[in-house]
Amino acid sequence: EKRRSSPARRNKKGKSKTIKVQTHCPTPRFPKEAAKKGFSVRATLVSPSWSRKGWTQDSPGHFWWYFACREPSKRRVSFGTKMIRNLRNYLTREHKVEPIAVCIHHFAHRYATGHNRAETIKDQLVYHAGVLVEWDHAQYCTIFELAYLNGISGYGGKSNWVVDRNAKPPGLYRAMPGCMKTPWLSDRAEIRAIDLPVKSKEEFENYLRKYSGRGLRFVDPQISESAKVRLTHRKQSDIMRYILNYILCDGKYDENFRNCQDFAADFFGFLVGLPPDKCKPFHALCRLTYKHKKHNFLYDPDM
């Protein structure tokens, strides 16, 4: 891993002077010369090649799950391929039965812009989409969404799907491992799963209404379609494996061609068993460029 730092100072004529220093040390250090003479420093940090696939080398997959409905002391964020093992260990330790997905709901909403800014034309056209999955235990549901990489961790753990979003810091941020707390990348994608304390479609609709309004979280929230999950293998660990396959097959993010609405259409169609011509993103504009990738849920990307 290469790290470069560039101390800069002004000479007698007032022009800046740059001294380039290269180091291969595992931990970035403030250049000694800059510290002694009061230079400003600009650093370029280059991540290792494996970071294009995950937050750690031994648990690839930019997919994380916030187990927000466990007891407070047991709430965790698990990520990558190790989340399957972590789930099974938890279920064994707590003597719990693994949940089975039973229903799925495709939803969308615009983002609230706040009281101090009026909606632009783009704001009125852009909808965020995701899916809500109901489990057979009927204790809580789970939100699934795709967005650009580190969009939650780089924003202080603020998610619209946690009740304490405005806490400092939110419980989600406290639960995140340190390796996930990095600046966002708008050309790379991550998939998020967040357990939500609602038990049904009706309770989810109440949640959306509660936080709808210009100064709140959502504008014009809608549930566009609902259906039963028809997959034969639909336990929680199966869902994890499908999504890991999907994100490892294609980790790009593009606002126009690889976005939240594409994932939501793929995931809903996959769990319900819709034919390709019936899988559609929420908004008509996204349907113009949409090409389904449901097959990516099924196959090991390393084979």
Side-chain angles (χ1 to χ4, degrees):
E1 183 176 355
K2 186 186 293 183
R3 302 174 187 270
R4 300 185 183 91
S5 58
S6 303
R9 65 178 178 181
R10 293 190 177 278
N11 59 22
K12 294 180 179 180
K13 296 181 179 180
K15 295 182 179 179
S16 64
K17 178 181 178 182
T18 300
I19 303 172
K20 293 187 177 180
V21 179
Q22 290 196 35
T23 176
H24 291 266
C25 64
T27 304
R29 294 194 297 261
F30 199 84
K32 293 181 179 179
E33 185 180 359
K36 290 180 180 178
K37 299 184 178 181
F39 296 171
S40 63
V41 173
R42 181 179 64 198
T44 302
L45 307 182
V46 183
S47 298
S49 57
W50 54 257
S51 65
R52 287 186 66 83
K53 289 191 172 183
W55 288 284
T56 61
Q57 189 171 9
D58 61 349
S59 188
H62 283 127
F63 167 43
W64 55 265
W65 198 306
Y66 180 33
F67 299 97
C69 294
R70 293 178 180 176
E71 297 175 19
S73 63
K74 298 175 182 178
R75 292 172 186 172
R76 299 285 187 276
V77 171
S78 193
F79 65 86
T81 53
K82 282 189 175 181
M83 72 164 61
I84 298 176
R85 185 187 67 186
N86 293 341
L87 171 67
R88 289 171 177 164
N89 289 342
Y90 169 80
L91 295 173
T92 300
R93 187 170 59 250
E94 300 294 324
H95 306 288
K96 294 181 179 291
V97 177
E98 186 170 357
I100 296 174
V102 291
C103 291
I104 183 170
H105 310 283
H106 188 180
F107 69 86
H109 65 82
R110 301 204 309 273
Y111 286 110
T113 59
H115 291 296
N116 298 324
R117 184 172 76 83
E119 280 191 319
T120 64
I121 294 176
K122 182 178 179 180
D123 291 330
Q124 295 173 10
L125 292 174
V126 173
Y127 279 77
H128 177 68
V131 299
L132 179 82
V133 169
E134 294 185 43
W135 306 99
D136 62 337
H137 55 47
Q139 297 175 6
Y140 56 80
C141 297
T142 304
I143 291 284
F144 294 87
E145 61 182 1
L146 179 143
Y148 52 77
L149 182 60
N150 302 322
I152 294 290
S153 59
Y155 195 54
K158 293 184 178 181
S159 168
N160 286 333
W161 309 115
V162 296
V163 175
D164 66 340
R165 186 191 71 171
N166 296 325
K168 297 181 180 180
L172 170 55
Y173 194 72
R174 294 195 302 269
M176 280 184 166
C179 61
M180 294 179 63
K181 297 175 180 178
T182 61
W184 59 72
L185 296 173
S186 58
D187 62 345
R188 303 295 297 172
E190 71 178 20
I191 297 176
R192 311 158 182 166
I194 300 177
D195 293 339
L196 194 66
V198 300
K199 301 176 182 178
S200 63
K201 175 183 176 181
E202 291 71 29
E203 290 190 12
F204 179 57
E205 290 174 325
N206 290 338
Y207 181 93
L208 294 173
R209 282 193 290 269
K210 178 180 178 180
Y211 292 106
S212 290
R214 186 174 171 184
L216 298 175
R217 304 183 185 185
F218 313 116
V219 173
D220 190 27
Q222 303 178 38
I223 295 179
S224 58
E225 49 189 342
S226 302
K228 292 183 178 180
V229 177
R230 295 178 57 215
L231 287 175
T232 303
H233 301 287
R234 55 183 184 272
K235 291 183 177 180
Q236 189 171 12
S237 58
D238 296 323
I239 302 299
M240 290 177 172
R241 183 69 262 177
Y242 297 142
I243 295 180
L244 285 164
N245 289 344
Y246 185 90
I247 195 66
L248 285 167
C249 280
D250 187 355
K252 297 188 298 295
Y253 181 86
D254 186 281
E255 189 178 47
N256 299 312
F257 302 103
R258 164 77 169 168
N259 56 40
C260 59
Q261 293 197 33
D262 296 329
F263 164 74
D266 284 345
F267 194 44
F268 184 88
F270 173 67
L271 266 62
V272 173
L274 293 179
D277 61 322
K278 298 296 183 182
C279 295
K280 295 180 180 179
F282 172 79
H283 201 279
L285 290 177
C286 289
R287 294 172 194 163
L288 296 175
T289 58
Y290 172 68
K291 294 182 179 179
H292 85 90
K293 295 184 178 180
K294 293 194 303 174
H295 52 280
N296 285 349
F297 289 110
L298 290 171
Y299 301 109
D300 187 332
D302 294 327
M303 295 181 66

